[in-house]
Structures are given as structure tokens and as C-alpha cells.
Amino acid sequence: MAAGAPRVFVSHLSGVPVFDPNGDQVGRVRDLVAMLRVGGRPPRLLGLVVEVLSRRRIFLPMTRVTGIESGQVITTGVVNMRRFEQRPTERLVLGEFLDRRVRLVETGEEVTILDVSVSQLPARRDWEIDKYFVRKGKGGALRRKGETLTVEWSAVSGFSLEEDGQGAESLVATFEQLRPTDVANALHHLSPKRRAEVAAALDDDRLADVLEELPEDDQVEIIGKLQEERAADVLEAMDPDDAADLLSELPEADKERLLTLMRPDDAADVRRLMSYEERTAGGLMTTEPIILRPDATVADALARVRQADLSPALAAQVYVCRSPDETPTGKYLGTVHFQRLLRDPPYALVSSIVDSDLVPLTPDTPLPDVTSYLAAYNLVSVPVVDESGSLLGAVTVDDVLDHLLPEDWRETDLHGGEEIARGR
């Protein structure tokens, strides 16, 4: 929902159809999943529970929702068809919020929640609960006669977490305010039991981001304590190069079992990365850079660059290739840097402004040569191309730094992780 659009009441979403970008119906909305937060912040909407045609209920993250309008929900990207399982930190809005008795903060009067409205934050994909539609009275015969009113989420008590609360729920809510690096730092200082509890409570995308920042020993420990299907989901949510690094640390039988549970396309990317030597361009690269066809426009490129889940290094440039536009692609034509996109009109074709002067790397290029290449040309990302001229992926400067720093650099307490883990 774009900024300034009317708010959406959740009762109006129950049962509405969900469509993919091609217009095919995926299923229908059966509930919404929210997470309570500390620090006086409104509950965050994590996603939708969608019942697909087989009557299986799956989880659709709000980051995949591109539109809620005209009695339908439009999604983007691949939908994970694994069965939805509610986590300790999650609340079902229709199932747990509606008809709940709470109190008005100002008067202490008891009211019943009849509906909940959600809104999207400006220029972001995050959604929050912003208002409650409530009825005064104590229920029974009086319930229908009570006054109804719409109040801000902060005007109601009964949906909040105490800062000093116990359990993974409060700790995860506190972690939500931190960057993945800082959460990883705090998680590293927890006991193994507590670490497993918090990891189980984090959603897949968040846990994937945190795992990428943890030392290898912690990664192996956490992934080993997850149920296998969920472990496969988390690996799918990780960057393919990070997932490949983690899987390479597991016993062969465990590695193959998890790869089998992953979606075929994701598993294929990871298997391809694992076939390269670790300290080479092929072993360092990600298989998911921004790829555009020659007939794409500058406007198309900027829309891709604006995606919130891209790292700054990957968003710094787009790679122009002939079809197919997923790695390994058709013929690699060149790179268009973000600054050049800002200088040209939106209707210009990326093929007209492509930079083809720099020679791309080959997958067997050793780490020292990759480092020298990035430094010599002042780049934050560099393409990796095979002998046939197809783009295989891109090496980003952060992946290079991971291999240049001491092996134990992630275990250094840079941001007070131990104090956070101990609740100070």
C-alpha cells in the first residue's frame, strides 16, 4: 500500500484472493501474523497466512506483498509452499486480537476489539498495526449497545511486552531494534540453550541475516538444532554464498539431506558455488546480483536498485546480460553503475549506457587478484563470467573482507553484545 493510501482493516482481508505477478491465484488470506515489540513501538505485521488450493496454510512475508487493493492481494517473487507454523513471538491478528478484552489507557475502561487496521510505513515494505476499532461495554447484552470508536494502538493496554519480561519473546523483540551484526554479537554470548531458544523464535529471514554474521561454530550449532524443514527454509533465505559456506561445514550426509529439502533452484545455486575453491572468485561470489536485459530502461534499473533487501554493495550496479537473466545468464554485455543511472533519463535503455571496458573475472581467479582488482578500479562489486561469456555471479567487497580479516574477527565484541545478551 503506497504512502497516503487509506488504511486497511484486517476484517476486510479475511478470505480475499492472493495473486502472483502473472495474475494466477495462489490462495486466500486466512489470517495475519504480527509481532509485539518493546519500547512503546506498535506491533509489526510480519506477513499473511494464506490457504493455498491444496488447503495447506503457508506464510507469505509482507516483504513479498506489492499491493492490497480492490479486494485482492498481489505478491512478488517465489512463494514458499511449506506449511505455516506459528512461532512463540508471533500473534495471529484475526485469531488472537479480535474479540479480545483490553483497556483504554486514558480511562481504564474495558473495551472489546472488533477490528484492527494496518498501514505501510512510507517508502518501506514494513507494515504496522496503527489503530483498533473497539466497542465499550462488558459484553453480553450490553455489548451491542456499547459505543464504538477507533483509537490509536497506543491508546489500548494489553498488547505490549514488558522490558524486563522473561522468555525468548521479549529478547527477540529487543533484538528487532538492532542490526543483524549486533544481534549476532549478542547471540554469540548467550548459553547454547538460550541461543537455540532465541534462534527458534526468530523468523526465517531474520535468522538468515543473523546466521550470516555469526562465527562458523555458532552457525553449525544453530542450524543443527533446527528441524530439518525449517533449516532448509533458513538456508533458502540466506545469500547463496553464505549458505554454501555453512553447508560446507556440515557432515556430508547432513549437507545432502538439507540440499534435498531446499527448493531445486536454490539448491542448484548452492551446489554450483560449492563446486569452486573457497578462496577464488567462484567461491566468493553471490549468484544473485541485479541482472537486466538490454531492453530494460533506467527506470527499471532504479526500481531494482531500490529493493530494501539488497546490500549496498549489490545495489551499487546492475549487470546487463542477454536472456536468460538468471545466473548463469546469456552473454554478459557489461555493467551500469548507480551514479550513471542517476545521470540519465528514466526512458533510456541500459544497453545504451553500459560500461564494457572492464574485463570481468573468471571463477578461478584467486583471492589476491580479486582484491587487487577491486582496489585498482575502486569498485565495491565485480562480475564473474565463465569461458562462454555467461555471467555466473558477482563478488562484493564485504565477501572479500570476510576472507582477509582474521578467522576469529566475528567473535570480537564490537558492539556490546555480551551486555545485551545479559539484559544490561
Side-chain angles (χ1 to χ4, degrees), residues 184-185 187-188 210-216 218-219 222 410:
N185 206 346
L187 209 59
H188 174 68
V210 172
L211 279 177
E212 291 171 1
E213 306 298 333
L214 280 168
E216 290 178 353
D218 289 344
Q219 291 181 345
I222 289 172
R410 291 191 184 277

Side-chain angles (χ1 to χ4, degrees), residues 209-384:
D209 291 340
V210 172
L211 279 177
E212 291 171 1
E213 306 298 333
L214 280 168
E216 290 178 353
D217 289 347
D218 289 344
Q219 291 181 345
V220 171
E221 173 196 300
I222 289 172
I223 208 75
K225 291 182 178 179
L226 298 176
Q227 292 183 351
E228 287 188 343
E229 286 199 353
R230 199 203 164 192
D233 290 344
V234 173
L235 288 166
E236 290 170 356
M238 294 176 69
D239 289 337
D241 53 325
D242 290 306
D245 290 342
L246 172 51
L247 283 169
S248 66
E249 299 296 321
L250 300 179
E252 191 66 28
D254 295 342
K255 174 171 47 179
E256 284 301 318
R257 192 159 52 249
L258 289 172
L259 283 167
T260 302
L261 289 171
M262 292 173 65
R263 288 192 296 260
D265 289 347
D266 293 320
D269 285 343
V270 173
R271 288 183 188 276
R272 182 153 50 90
L273 289 170
M274 292 173 65
S275 70
Y276 299 113
E277 292 293 330
E278 180 181 2
R279 297 175 70 84
T280 64
L284 295 169
M285 70 182 180
T286 176
T287 58
E288 298 179 343
I290 302 177
I291 300 170
L292 293 171
R293 298 181 185 181
D295 58 354
T297 64
V298 167
D300 295 329
L302 289 174
R304 294 286 299 278
V305 167
R306 280 197 295 268
Q307 291 180 4
D309 54 351
L310 283 174
S311 69
L314 282 179
Q317 60 282 302
V318 300
Y319 300 101
V320 183
C321 305
R322 298 198 185 281
S323 180
D325 50 5
E326 293 185 359
T327 58
T329 68
K331 182 177 176 56
Y332 167 72
L333 301 178
T335 302
V336 182
H337 299 280
F338 176 63
Q339 286 182 319
R340 181 61 192 267
L341 293 173
L342 295 177
R343 292 198 297 264
D344 283 81
Y347 54 80
L349 298 180
V350 292
S351 56
S352 69
I353 58 174
V354 70
D355 180 358
S356 57
D357 292 340
L358 292 178
V359 179
L361 300 179
T362 59
D364 58 353
T365 303
L367 175 60
D369 291 350
V370 176
T371 306
S372 299
Y373 189 101
L374 289 168
Y377 295 107
N378 298 315
L379 299 173
V380 295
S381 179
V382 58
V384 181

Side-chain angles (χ1 to χ4, degrees), residues 184-211:
N185 206 346
L187 209 59
H188 174 68
H189 290 92
L190 295 173
S191 67
K193 175 181 178 297
R194 190 72 170 136
R195 190 156 47 234
E197 292 171 347
V198 174
L202 292 170
D203 64 69
D204 291 348
D205 290 336
R206 183 65 160 165
L207 180 55
D209 291 340
V210 172
L211 279 177

Side-chain angles (χ1 to χ4, degrees), residues 43-253:
R44 178 188 173 200
L45 192 63
L46 301 177
L48 308 175
V49 179
V50 177
E51 185 177 278
V52 296
L53 300 182
S54 63
R55 302 192 67 82
R56 174 192 295 265
R57 295 196 174 195
I58 65 171
F59 177 71
L60 177 66
M62 292 307 295
T63 53
R64 298 287 178 87
V65 174
T66 59
I68 299 178
E69 53 190 22
S70 302
Q72 62 184 10
V73 174
I74 308 298
T75 75
T76 184
V78 178
V79 177
N80 191 327
M81 299 301 289
R82 297 199 189 279
R83 191 180 302 276
F84 167 70
E85 293 184 7
Q86 187 178 356
R87 306 217 170 98
T89 57
E90 297 172 347
R91 297 289 182 270
L92 297 177
V93 179
L94 295 176
E96 299 179 46
F97 279 49
L98 302 194
D99 294 320
R100 179 160 174 169
R101 303 289 294 168
V102 293
R103 293 187 180 276
L104 297 178
V105 173
E106 185 175 350
T107 64
E109 185 176 2
E110 195 173 45
V111 295
T112 302
I113 295 179
L114 303 181
D115 210 342
V116 176
S117 74
V118 296
S119 61
Q120 188 177 22
L121 299 181
R124 297 174 61 185
R125 293 191 182 186
D126 286 346
W127 292 68
E128 293 179 340
I129 289 177
D130 63 349
K131 293 180 183 295
Y132 296 118
F133 180 60
V134 301
R135 184 191 301 276
K136 294 183 178 181
K138 297 183 178 181
L142 294 176
R143 179 174 173 179
R144 296 185 178 181
K145 299 179 180 179
E147 176 190 358
T148 58
L149 64 158
T150 301
V151 297
E152 298 289 335
W153 66 270
S154 56
V156 169
S157 64
F159 283 115
S160 63
L161 293 175
E162 298 297 333
E163 295 279 0
D164 58 352
Q166 298 297 313
E169 186 176 19
S170 293
L171 189 54
V172 169
T174 302
F175 283 170
E176 192 209 2
Q177 305 174 42
L178 304 178
R179 293 177 180 271
T181 300
D182 299 325
V183 177
N185 206 346
L187 209 59
H188 174 68
H189 290 92
L190 295 173
S191 67
K193 175 181 178 297
R194 190 72 170 136
R195 190 156 47 234
E197 292 171 347
V198 174
L202 292 170
D203 64 69
D204 291 348
D205 290 336
R206 183 65 160 165
L207 180 55
D209 291 340
V210 172
L211 279 177
E212 291 171 1
E213 306 298 333
L214 280 168
E216 290 178 353
D217 289 347
D218 289 344
Q219 291 181 345
V220 171
E221 173 196 300
I222 289 172
I223 208 75
K225 291 182 178 179
L226 298 176
Q227 292 183 351
E228 287 188 343
E229 286 199 353
R230 199 203 164 192
D233 290 344
V234 173
L235 288 166
E236 290 170 356
M238 294 176 69
D239 289 337
D241 53 325
D242 290 306
D245 290 342
L246 172 51
L247 283 169
S248 66
E249 299 296 321
L250 300 179
E252 191 66 28

